[in-house]
Structures are given as C-alpha cells and as structure tokens.
Amino acid sequence: MIVNVLMMMGILSRMVPAVALTTAIPGLADRGAFMSINSSLQQIAGGIAAAAAGMIVQQKTEFSPLEHYNTVGNVMVCISILSVLLLYRVSLMVKKKLGEKKV
C-alpha cells in the first residue's frame, strides 16, 4: 500500500505543473473551451492506450502467465520520453508568449 501511495503521489505531482503550464497557452476567454477539449483528448488517449496495451499483452490460456507485458513497459518509457520533449516545447511556447506580453 505504501508503494502504491508513493506511486500515485509521483504521478499526481507531475500532473499539476503540466496542467498549469498548458493552461497558460490559451487566452483567458478561451481557457474553458481549451480545458474541455484537453480533458476530452486525455480521455480518448487513455482509451486508445488501454486498447493498444490489450492488443500487445497476450495470455495463451486462462491459467498461463501474461506475455509481452515488458513490451508495454518499453512502449510506455518511449511515450514518457516523448511527453517530456513535447512538454518542453510547450514550455518554450509559454515563455515566448509571456515575453511578448511584457513588451
């Protein structure tokens, strides 16, 4: 239970700065629509990820172990690295936008 709690703390602690960063992109008038679309895309991505993981992981019989579970882990590592790179790009966009407002 302790490991699960620590894992959830780690997951949620990186979501707060990511959401704060992405909400700085749209203007104040468009922020609600942006958050709604962002939430919808997150839900769709979660469903696609679950379906893709379900296609990768296999079980020959009802009592045999799961196979290719490590492949899902490797795919997740690659997607996480891609997410960090994309979030860095968003960070640069926000810095540029905030720099333009100060002028």
Side-chain angles (χ1 to χ4, degrees):
M1 284 180 34
I2 292 172
V3 172
N4 191 24
V5 168
L6 292 174
M7 184 181 70
M8 287 299 156
M9 285 174 51
I11 290 170
L12 294 176
S13 67
R14 55 180 195 163
M15 288 303 296
V16 172
V19 170
L21 185 62
T22 56
T23 57
I25 295 173
L28 190 57
D30 298 328
R31 193 161 292 153
F34 176 81
M35 294 296 291
S36 178
I37 292 170
N38 190 26
S39 178
S40 297
L41 289 175
Q42 286 177 358
Q43 295 296 322
I44 291 170
I48 291 171
M55 290 189 295
I56 294 172
V57 175
Q58 297 176 357
Q59 189 175 20
K60 289 184 180 177
T61 66
E62 186 178 340
F63 300 106
S64 64
L66 295 176
E67 296 177 350
H68 308 294
Y69 203 74
N70 58 338
T71 304
V72 174
N74 292 333
V75 170
M76 192 59 218
V77 167
C78 293
I79 290 173
S80 295
I81 291 170
L82 179 65
S83 296
V84 169
L85 295 174
L86 291 174
L87 194 58
Y88 176 72
R89 189 170 172 200
V90 169
S91 174
L92 292 177
M93 290 173 56
V94 169
K95 286 180 184 178
K96 182 179 177 183
K97 182 179 177 182
L98 292 176
E100 291 174 0
K101 283 186 177 182
K102 290 181 181 180
V103 174

